[in-house]
Amino acid sequence: MKKFLYILLLIFPISCSSLKYTSDMKMLVELDGKWLFKIDPEDKGLEQLWYSSNFDRTDWTEIEVPGFWERYANFSKYDGIAWYYKSFRIEKIDKSKKYAIFFSGVDDDCGVWLNGEFVGEHRGYSDEFYFDITKFLKQGINEIVVMVIDQGGPGGIYKPVKIVEYSKVEELLKGEFYYKKARTSPDWVKDAVIYEIFPRAFSPEGNFKAIEKEIPRLKDLGISVIWLMPIHPIGEIKRKGTYGSPYSIRDYFQINPDYGTEDDFKSLIKTAHQNGIKVIIDLVINHTSWDNNLIKEHPDWYVKDENGDIIPPNSDWTDVADLNYDNPELRKYMIKMMKYWIEKFDIDGYRCDVAELVPIDFWNEARDELDKIKPILMLAEGSLPEQHLKAFDLTYSWNVYDALARIVRKGHLPSVLDAVLQSEMYKFPKGSIRLRFNENHDKPRAVRYFGENGALVSALITATIPGVPLIYNGQEYGDTTNISLFEKQTIKKDTSDERGKKFYAFYKKLFNFRKNSLALRRGEMIKAITTNDDKVYAFWRRFDNETVLVIANLSNWGVTTKLKIDDVLKKKIINGTVKFYDVFEGKNFVMRVDDFTNFKLEPFEFKLLSIN
């Protein structure tokens, strides 16, 4: 997802950040320049205390920050853990001030130490982030150590690092896009519940007709948009596995014959539209299969190495060849193809694979052309704020997924999620819509990853915080089949066992309530508890006269918490009580106001309550 940015940064190293300075904030130290560096392929740095102040770093290499480590020959093909070290001097510290270290971008994840003390960790390569270091910073020489975990592709501290003096957190969080507005999307996009389908795995037949038969069920489940993973013929040269990845496209204008015919596809779309469901398809235009006809007809449309040979996007994606968007004819071809599927088959948009690897100016141009045909949905498998300005309606919120993983799996406090959502609010254009999920085809099954209870509670949160929820086929049954992209597997659709019955009922009630709740689709989100010292995550969603309370215990032990009673809620109190509708219980009940200050939840218990 990061190649295009990688190439730009190798050629034009970044010298400034999007951090906006105010009159109450000033630069203290700029940390760009020479750092010491060492790779850690055996992951022994933590055990050997590489972050400590007195550690011997005489064998570390000197490199420049910002920049990816791949620009150095010795590290050009390295993926994994690496460590950075730098010392710097602070001449004077004002005890009345607050100080933060601000990172404009680290690829992918990192941990940070200052003077041997752990400062914090961050996940996700696309976000700016900061840590308050007021209590760690000292007058004189300071030492900073950063452990970077690169999951693949380019890695490193690829944007500037600064020490700043500040008075308000908001000053650190506001990025350049905070002052801009996102594109305006149709209501059906804002209201969407998206269901991702892998046609090969969705049924034993693995075709369009089997999907079409289930459209009424998906409507009943509360789905309003289906996303079909790539439907095109799959490449055979350098194919991975028996069937090959659907993301290795052999012909952009054809349908995979295993899935059916053009008429089958048209029938599926017609049935979906008759049931009020939109259809988007996967768009894979960063790369092609090695036997795509474009390689023979237009070899100049591909990225080549110094020997003139076409190359894959990275060392792992060996089954695909990398496209080069410097070529204007390639751009014309891709836009023509995108228009073809909308005009001929009446699809409703695209989910754009690795959208960050394709230049944003191409996406902007393409969106202009597609908007002339009909209102569509454009979903970017990316998370850049600028994608919201013109080209895309939705971007992936990997940040929320990572936060939920840290809370449910690692025992972090729910305030981690508050911090992520707050940062998102300040970094993205106003009105940006984010895709929320706790599972997709790139991630493990939620039940396997979060546990059965964790899968439900994380799904509740992703469907009720601001944004658009996504569900992956089989997730509604609590399926645990980790579906391979390269083989034939079939998801399990079974409500005969206890888990299948429980999960299906949960999703049906959740999505159908959301469909009828303006508070969840349009309302503001307000924190509903007074402290962050327990494992409860609770918030109100409000729109006009509708109020919804979401409250979840994100731990495996019982808790008691205190709910806020603000001025809006006070208006709902009658004779010391509030009347709620319990969505999952399907019944009304009355709660005494006194119970708000002593609200008890069992392990992983959650509530979705409505006041109407």
Side-chain angles (χ1 to χ4, degrees), residues 170-185:
E170 289 83 354
E171 297 164 354
L172 294 169
L173 294 176
K174 287 181 181 178
E176 61 179 302
F177 297 101
Y178 172 78
Y179 302 92
K180 299 180 180 181
K181 289 185 178 180
R183 69 170 290 122
T184 301
S185 300

Side-chain angles (χ1 to χ4, degrees), residues 2 34 46 74 89 143 145 170 197 205 240 282 297 329 343 361 363 387 402 408 429 493 497 512 516 521 574 583 588:
K2 302 162 284 188
K34 298 185 185 302
L46 280 175
N74 291 343
R89 175 179 288 276
E143 297 178 299
V145 177
E170 289 83 354
I197 294 177
E205 301 88 346
K240 289 186 176 183
D282 231 315
E297 297 173 6
E329 295 304 314
E343 291 172 336
D361 64 318
W363 291 122
Q387 291 173 323
D402 289 338
V408 177
K493 304 173 185 175
D497 68 352
N512 279 281
N516 293 297
R521 302 192 326 267
I574 301 175
V583 173
N588 294 310

